[in-house]
């Protein structure tokens, strides 16, 4: 990030994390690194303000928590609601396919909203659009709690997704403002640790809420969570995009930026591969309440437990990726391995659910889903990192395309998993297999990592 006098003064006044260094810098500038009252100053950052290490760690931890909460918001919106899906079908007298559209509507809103919010954040900064989106999210979620029919609920979920997209797209853009290269990949893996907690606790909370109230109580809890997160963002997250780095050309410049990103074959390869991998994940998210509870007869609490175990796998493998693999093994090599494992697990699940191995119980299916979900932590963070590394000066627009592709493809996959009814898991496994195979093909055909060997970090 260029270091002009205005941006430096703004950073010193607001304690803004400085971009492009892989570290968060706060506090007043001093001539030379020197020990402070809270610990030694960070060395080796010529031309940048220095700060006590303890203050840096506190700021980094706070920013990580805030961005982690924003990244976890989609999981909270989706997964806390999952155990209630069968109850919603009964309460609103709607078929399962219609109720699944409440998931599709939320995903579609998150996909389309990012196309608007991303370029807005490149022009007006990160903080304003983020706070606006969070306020609308809280209002939409509160309306969901009183929806009288399935149609109203679907419409409110669409609005909820449109507003919630601000947290998703801007959190990625903020990471790109603050980090670069390997440090960015590590930070995305750290975010998976925080956001991975949400899928663990969300279905558990949803299941417990259903013990004392109905599905409407789930949306009441989500409203409170959204309100608290909005207050934390307002108080703790400062602007990370200086005015001199914002786009000022309006719609025309935003369209030119998008056109340039679409013309980047490698960027599009990572974007589509990540979107297809996310669709395989969301096929599980959308179908698993019916597969686990209706086909295999598990209780809502057992479903929540299994869902939480899969999230533990996401967290553990994410930390292996961020702490052990990133910086030692190329990002493309890890990504290739992750996509391959996802494909193998999806094929195995398709064979089991279609009866090739005879009648199988819940345990083998749950174990295969655990492997598939865990491998997502090798694919999704690295596709995001590799794509955003190619778009430093348009992080908001690039983040929008990344998020839109993921949620749009996921929204298309969601109704397909229920197309054959509630009595078979074959559609879920088939959608996962097709998406995984297509993701692997896009990575190999469009990204062609072997062509960039020795020229780009992360090449095979």
């Amino acid at each position: 990030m260029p270091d002009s006098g205005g941006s430096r003064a703004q950073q010193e006044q607001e304690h803004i994390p400085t971009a492009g260094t892989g570290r968060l810098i706060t506090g007043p500038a001093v001539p030379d690194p020197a020990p402070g009252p809270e610990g030694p100053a960070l060395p080796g950052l010529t031309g940048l303000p220095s700060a006590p290490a303890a203050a840096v760690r506190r700021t980094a931890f706070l920013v990580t928590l805030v961005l982690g909460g924003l990244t976890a918001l989609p999981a909270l919106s989706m997964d806390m609601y999952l155990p209630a899906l069968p109850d919603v079908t009964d309460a609103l007298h709607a078929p399962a396919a219609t109720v699944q559209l409440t998931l599709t509507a939320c995903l579609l809103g998150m996909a389309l909203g990012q196309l608007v919010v991303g370029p807005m954040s490149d022009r007006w900064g990160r903080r304003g659009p983020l706070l606006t989106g969070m306020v609308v999210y809280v209002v939409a979620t509160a309306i969901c709690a009183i929806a009288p029919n399935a149609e109203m609920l679907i419409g409110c979920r669409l609005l909820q997704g449109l507003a919630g997209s601000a947290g998703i797209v801007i959190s990625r853009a903020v990471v790109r403002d603050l980090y670069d290269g390997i440090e960015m990949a590590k930070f995305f893996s750290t975010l998976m640790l925080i956001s991975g907690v949400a899928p663990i606790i969300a279905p558990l909370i949803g299941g417990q809420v259903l013990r004392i109230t109905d599905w409407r109580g789930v949306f009441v809890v989500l409203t409170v969570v959204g309100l608290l997160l909005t207050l934390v963002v307002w108080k703790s997250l400062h602007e990370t995009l200086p005015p001199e780095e914002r786009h000022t050309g309006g719609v025309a410049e935003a369209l030119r930026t998008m056109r340039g990103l679409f013309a980047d074959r490698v960027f599009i390869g990572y974007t589509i591969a990540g979107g297809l991998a996310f669709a395989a994940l969301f096929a599980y998210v959308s179908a698993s309440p019916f597969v686990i509870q209706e086909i295999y007869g598990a209780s809502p609490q057992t479903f929540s437990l299994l869902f939480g175990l899969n999230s533990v796998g996401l967290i553990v493998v994410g930390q292996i990726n961020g702490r052990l693999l990133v910086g030692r093994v190329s990002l493309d090599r890890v990504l290739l391995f992750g996509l391959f494992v996802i494909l193998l697990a999806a094929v195995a699940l398709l064979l089991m659910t279609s009866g090739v191995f005879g009648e199988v119980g819940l345990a083998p299916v749950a174990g295969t889903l655990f492997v598939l979900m865990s491998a997502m932590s090798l694919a999704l963070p690295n596709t995001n990192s590799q794509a955003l590394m190619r778009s430093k000066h348009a992080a908001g627009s690039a983040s929008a395309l990344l998020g839109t592709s993921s949620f749009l493809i996921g929204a298309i996959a969601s109704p397909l998993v229920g197309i054959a009814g509630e009595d078979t898991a074959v559609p879920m496994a088939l959608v996962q297999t097709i998406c995984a195979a297509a993701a692997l093909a896009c990575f190999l055909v469009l990204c062609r990592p072997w062509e960039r060997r020795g020229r780009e970090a992360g090449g095979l």
Side-chain angles (χ1 to χ4, degrees):
M1 180 180 295
D3 186 14
S4 66
S7 65
R8 183 185 293 270
Q10 184 182 11
Q11 291 167 8
E12 292 170 7
Q13 180 180 0
E14 297 184 348
H15 303 286
I16 298 175
T18 302
T21 65
R23 303 187 185 190
L24 296 174
I25 310 302
T26 61
V30 296
D32 297 301
E38 299 179 87
L42 294 177
L45 298 173
T46 305
L48 295 174
S50 181
V56 172
R57 286 193 295 269
R58 283 198 302 271
T59 302
F61 180 71
L62 180 59
V63 171
T64 302
L65 286 181
V66 173
L67 296 182
L70 293 172
T71 306
L73 191 61
L76 291 174
S77 301
M78 297 290 180
D79 301 341
M80 194 181 297
Y81 172 64
L82 290 178
L85 282 179
D87 289 345
V88 176
T89 61
D90 296 334
L92 299 182
H93 307 290
T98 299
V99 173
Q100 283 179 326
L101 287 177
T102 62
L103 296 176
T104 302
C106 190
L107 270 180
L108 187 61
M110 289 181 179
L112 298 178
Q114 291 183 67
L115 285 177
V116 177
V117 177
M120 285 175 58
S121 73
D122 281 340
R123 181 173 185 183
W124 289 300
R126 315 301 186 198
R127 183 175 164 84
L130 175 58
L131 285 172
T132 302
M134 292 301 300
V135 170
V136 176
Y137 172 87
V138 171
V139 174
T141 306
I143 298 175
C144 286
I146 59 174
N149 51 54
E151 291 74 20
M152 181 71 172
L153 182 60
I154 292 171
C156 291
R157 290 283 280 175
L158 177 64
L159 180 60
Q160 185 189 41
L162 287 169
S165 67
I168 306 166
V169 67
I170 293 179
S171 62
R172 275 195 304 264
V174 169
V175 173
R176 188 63 186 93
D177 292 340
L178 303 179
Y179 293 96
D180 201 358
I182 297 301
E183 294 297 328
M184 181 168 58
K186 290 183 177 180
F187 193 88
F188 274 125
S189 292
T190 301
L191 285 187
M192 289 207 70
L193 172 62
I194 300 173
S195 61
V197 173
I200 296 176
I201 64 174
L204 296 175
I205 294 174
Q208 296 307 311
V209 169
L210 292 177
R211 285 180 175 270
I212 59 176
T213 183
D214 60 7
W215 62 272
R216 298 182 188 276
V218 174
F219 285 106
V220 173
V221 174
L222 283 173
T223 301
V224 175
V225 171
L227 181 60
L228 292 175
L229 185 56
T230 302
L231 293 175
V232 171
V233 169
W234 174 72
K235 182 175 178 59
S236 303
L237 187 64
H238 298 289
E239 183 59 62
T240 60
L241 186 65
E244 65 271 15
E245 293 193 6
R246 297 175 189 176
H247 296 183
T248 58
V251 176
E253 182 175 350
L255 292 176
R256 284 195 299 271
T257 300
M258 289 286 188
R259 186 167 60 248
L261 292 172
F262 274 113
D264 186 343
R265 169 180 53 81
V266 178
F267 173 84
I268 291 299
Y270 286 121
T271 300
I272 297 178
L276 288 166
F278 180 83
L281 182 152
F282 197 76
Y284 160 75
V285 170
S286 180
S288 59
F290 298 98
V291 171
I292 302 299
Q293 296 180 74
E294 302 295 331
I295 297 178
Y296 291 97
S299 67
Q301 288 71 37
T302 299
F303 163 74
S304 299
L305 177 62
L306 292 175
F307 202 94
L309 288 175
N310 287 337
S311 299
V312 170
L314 271 172
I315 292 174
V316 171
V317 176
Q319 293 312 290
I320 291 174
N321 177 63
R323 296 180 181 274
L324 299 180
L325 299 180
V326 171
R328 295 180 175 87
V329 183
S330 70
L331 298 183
D332 279 330
R333 194 181 297 275
V334 175
L335 173 56
L336 177 62
F337 179 75
L339 292 175
F340 187 69
V341 171
I342 293 171
L343 178 58
L344 287 181
V347 170
L349 188 64
L350 179 60
L351 294 176
M352 282 190 287
T353 57
S354 60
V356 172
F357 301 132
E359 195 73 24
V360 297
L362 177 59
V365 172
T368 305
L369 286 171
F370 177 82
V371 173
L372 186 149
M373 292 289 288
S374 299
M376 291 291 174
S377 289
L378 300 178
L380 297 180
N382 294 327
T383 54
N384 286 338
S385 297
Q386 292 289 67
L388 287 173
M389 282 182 197
R390 304 182 64 86
S391 52
K392 179 177 181 180
H393 301 295
S397 297
S399 178
L401 289 179
L402 280 169
T404 297
S405 64
S406 295
F407 285 97
L408 189 58
I409 298 173
I412 294 172
S414 176
L416 296 179
V417 300
I419 198 169
E422 305 174 27
D423 300 324
T424 175
V426 170
M428 178 188 73
L430 182 60
V431 169
Q432 289 175 325
T433 301
I434 293 174
C435 289
L440 183 60
C442 281
F443 172 65
L444 294 175
V445 173
L446 296 178
C447 298
R448 305 175 192 172
W450 59 86
E451 291 184 355
R452 294 175 287 120
R453 187 176 189 175
R455 298 200 308 268
E456 294 183 10
L460 283 176

